[in-house]
């Protein structure tokens, strides 16, 4: 038995962090990846596809999202099992009961409405564990599997559920946490052959036979390993020996292959700066950042967050701004990750010496330099107030702008 496991499509998600132009392309890509999943299924001879929850971002979505989902899946002829998750639970407002969904849904799409085995092929069963509310308040997997017997000989069973597992849950007090030790026991006992889960958007092997496929197209900067689906093969039960020996680890080697299908990437880049009045070291830092950006492939489908630290001169800051502006044209998103950056601009009066300012203009410049210095790293921390730091940032930005407007470093 071979099938594709995927999860967390989050269709209808609005990527507000992307600029409008990139956002539209990103939204389109997240439908297109569904077509690639269908193509992969055909290439590999997969017999069905199971989607482990959060198919849709919410239950309240534009009809267009549903229409585009089915259009993207149009060429898929094998069964597709959709398991409602916490984002798209089977509550009274369920998207799966909407007029558009029920009208457009093709015959091969099966929404799991109860935690009862679905016979998807002659030799395969999916045991789905759908969510019926955002807070079930109990371990739905344990409930679904209580008292369950192994499937009949010659049939493999896939557990398809959604939620955090106990061994990885930061909030272990959440009663909906899945007891993964129990899932391992179910695998040992031959009650299930493999378990696939939604919720973690990063492809993860929890334990032998227990996997999160993750989201097929990255959804957030914090996901370390997104963009994959799993092609899973459970060897056919040859029926030569009893159930106790044909099931469980050692007897049935489930093969799991991770296949990258995503076309977008979200990355963070770190760059340290060291201000030098001769600018040489700083130029090296800027070039290092430029090289990091240049090394990225497929820039138009890449979001980059920069983590910048250290010190930079006014002139260096102007060059950095220019670099980010220029490179920003190539990327879907390129911005400084402010909460993870600490780059101090060291005002440097000499930066402006070739402007030959006099009188009022020179006085204003001196004021800005002094104000920028008051909140910068070089000043005493004990005398720095929040207001000083804020004023210093504004002054440093003004100096940087002045430097650029005056045509510095042409
Ligand atoms: Mn999700």
């Amino acid at each position: 038995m071979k099938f594709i496991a995927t999860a967390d499509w989050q269709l209808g998600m609005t990527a507000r962090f992307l600029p409008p132009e990139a956002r539209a392309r990103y939204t389109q890509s997240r439908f297109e990846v569904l077509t690639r999943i269908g193509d992969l299924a055909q290439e590999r001879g997969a017999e069905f596809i199971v989607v482990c929850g959060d198919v849709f971002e919410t239950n309240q979505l534009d009809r267009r999202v549903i229409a585009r989902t089915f259009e993207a899946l149009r060429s898929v002829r094998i069964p597709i099992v959709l398991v409602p998750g916490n984002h798209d639970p089977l509550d009274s407002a369920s998207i799966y009961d909407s007029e558009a969904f029920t009208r457009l849904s093709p015959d091969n799409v099966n929404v799991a409405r109860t935690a009862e085995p679905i016979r998807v092929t002659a030799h395969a069963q999916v045991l789905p564990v759908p969510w019926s509310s955002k807070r079930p308040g109990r371990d739905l997997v344990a409930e679904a599997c209580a008292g369950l017997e192994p499937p009949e000989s010659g049939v493999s069973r896939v557990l398809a559920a959604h939620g955090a597992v106990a061994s990885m849950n930061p909030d272990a007090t959440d009663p909906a946490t899945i007891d993964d030790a129990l899932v391992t026991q179910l695998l040992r006992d031959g009650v299930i052959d493999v378990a696939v889960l939604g919720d973690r958007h990063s492809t993860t092997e929890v334990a032998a036979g227990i996997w999160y496929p993750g989201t097929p197209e990255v959804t957030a900067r914090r996901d370390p390993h997104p963009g994959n689906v799993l092609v899973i093969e459970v060897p056919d039960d040859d029926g030569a020996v009893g159930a106790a020996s044909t099931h469980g680890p050692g007897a049935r080697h489930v093969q799991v292959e991770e296949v990258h299908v995503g076309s977008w990437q979200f990355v963070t880049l770190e760059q340290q700066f060291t201000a030098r009045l001769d600018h040489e070291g700083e130029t090296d830092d800027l070039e290092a950042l430029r090289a990091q950006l240049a090394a990225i492939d497929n820039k138009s489908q890449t979001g980059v967050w920069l983590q910048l630290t250290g010190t930079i001169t006014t002139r260096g800051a102007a060059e950095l701004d220019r670099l980010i502006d220029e490179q920003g044209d190539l990327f879907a998103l390129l911005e400084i990750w402010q909460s993870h950056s600490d780059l101090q601009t060291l005002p440097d009066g000499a930066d402006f010496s070739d402007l030959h300012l006099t009188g009022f203009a020179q006085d204003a410049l001196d004021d800005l330099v002094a104000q920028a210095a008051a909140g910068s790293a070089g000043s005493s921390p004990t005398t720095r107030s929040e207001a000083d730091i804020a004023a210093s940032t504004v002054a440093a930005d003004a100096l940087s702008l002045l430097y650029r407007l005056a045509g510095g470093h042409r």
Side-chain angles (χ1 to χ4, degrees):
M1 171 191 72
K2 192 188 275 184
F3 70 102
I4 289 192
T6 174
D8 298 282
W9 290 356
Q10 312 290 149
L11 298 166
M13 180 188 116
T14 311
R16 290 198 180 78
F17 52 87
L18 291 176
E21 176 271 336
R23 194 185 304 158
R25 291 187 293 108
Y26 173 73
T27 298
Q28 180 59 21
S29 294
R30 295 175 68 252
F31 290 113
E32 286 167 0
V33 76
L34 306 186
T35 303
R36 282 199 295 284
I37 294 171
D39 292 347
L40 178 70
Q42 190 165 14
E43 275 166 39
R44 300 303 181 89
E47 293 155 76
F48 60 95
I49 297 171
V50 58
V51 192
C52 306
D54 291 0
V55 180
F56 297 104
E57 175 72 1
T58 72
N59 273 332
Q60 290 77 42
L61 288 177
D62 196 283
R63 190 183 67 208
R64 183 195 311 256
V65 174
I66 297 169
R68 290 187 177 185
T69 302
F70 290 135
E71 180 63 17
L73 294 170
R74 196 169 62 141
S75 63
V76 180
R77 301 275 181 251
I78 55 176
I80 303 175
V81 179
L82 304 181
V83 183
N86 62 311
H87 278 259
D88 51 358
L90 281 170
D91 59 16
S92 58
S94 172
I95 190 165
Y96 300 107
D97 293 322
S98 68
E99 194 272 333
F101 189 95
T102 49
R103 183 166 48 82
L104 297 171
S105 177
D107 290 343
N108 63 317
V109 170
N110 194 336
V111 177
R113 291 179 176 276
T114 58
E116 283 165 58
I118 299 172
R119 189 70 171 258
V120 278
T121 72
H123 303 287
Q125 224 184 47
V126 172
L127 172 61
V129 185
W131 286 47
S132 55
S133 73
K134 283 194 177 293
R135 295 187 176 278
R138 62 198 191 280
D139 179 352
L140 296 173
V141 171
E143 186 176 86
C145 295
L148 195 68
E149 295 292 326
E152 64 190 86
S153 177
V155 175
S156 302
R157 185 184 280 157
V158 178
L159 173 71
H162 189 90
V165 292
S167 64
M168 295 181 156
N169 192 357
D171 178 14
T173 60
D174 181 349
T177 302
I178 297 168
D179 178 0
D180 46 322
L182 171 73
V183 177
T184 292
Q185 192 57 50
L186 293 166
L187 288 161
R188 284 205 186 108
D189 294 345
V191 174
I192 58 173
D193 293 292
V194 63
V196 286
L197 306 169
D199 186 49
R200 282 177 88 85
H201 289 199
S202 197
T203 307
T204 310
E205 182 179 21
V206 177
I210 310 176
W211 284 81
Y212 284 101
T215 184
E217 195 68 270
V218 62
T219 53
R221 181 174 53 201
R222 66 174 177 272
D223 303 333
H225 190 51
N228 309 298
V229 297
L230 301 177
V231 178
I232 299 182
E233 187 164 9
V234 181
D236 288 330
D237 184 349
D238 59 12
V241 275
S245 58
T246 54
H247 286 99
R252 304 191 116 190
H253 299 284
V254 174
Q255 288 176 26
V256 180
E257 184 195 355
E258 196 181 292
V259 179
H260 193 78
V261 291
S263 61
W264 282 69
Q265 56 178 341
F266 292 161
V267 299
T268 55
L269 290 185
E270 292 177 25
Q271 183 64 48
Q272 166 96 29
F273 287 86
T274 307
R276 304 250 184 93
L277 292 186
D278 62 7
H279 299 301
E280 271 177 29
E282 202 165 87
T283 303
D284 289 348
D285 296 337
L286 282 162
E287 287 313 308
L289 177 58
R290 190 187 296 278
Q292 285 204 70
L293 292 168
I296 295 174
D297 289 328
N298 191 27
K299 295 181 176 62
S300 66
Q301 289 176 294
T302 302
V304 181
W305 286 266
L306 301 173
Q307 292 177 255
L308 307 179
T309 52
T311 53
I312 194 165
T313 61
T314 305
R315 171 171 154 181
E319 288 173 19
L320 174 62
D321 282 351
R322 200 192 322 257
L323 174 65
I324 292 173
D325 274 358
E326 284 171 6
Q327 292 288 310
D329 292 340
L330 306 177
F331 287 90
L333 172 84
L334 175 61
E335 66 180 26
I336 299 174
W337 191 4
Q338 296 295 352
S339 60
H340 287 66
S341 291
D342 185 15
L343 183 61
Q344 302 280 345
T345 305
L346 295 187
D348 166 16
D351 277 329
F352 301 97
S353 58
D354 55 357
L355 296 182
H356 306 295
L357 297 179
T358 54
F360 170 77
Q362 183 64 46
D363 290 348
L365 176 63
D366 291 344
D367 279 353
L368 282 172
V369 170
Q371 205 163 34
S376 75
S379 64
S380 161
T382 53
T383 59
R384 261 195 290 169
S385 69
E386 289 288 318
D388 280 345
I389 292 168
S392 151
T393 304
V394 171
D397 286 348
L399 286 170
S400 176
L401 184 62
L402 173 63
Y403 189 82
R404 290 175 74 185
L405 291 176
H409 193 55
R410 264 182 297 231

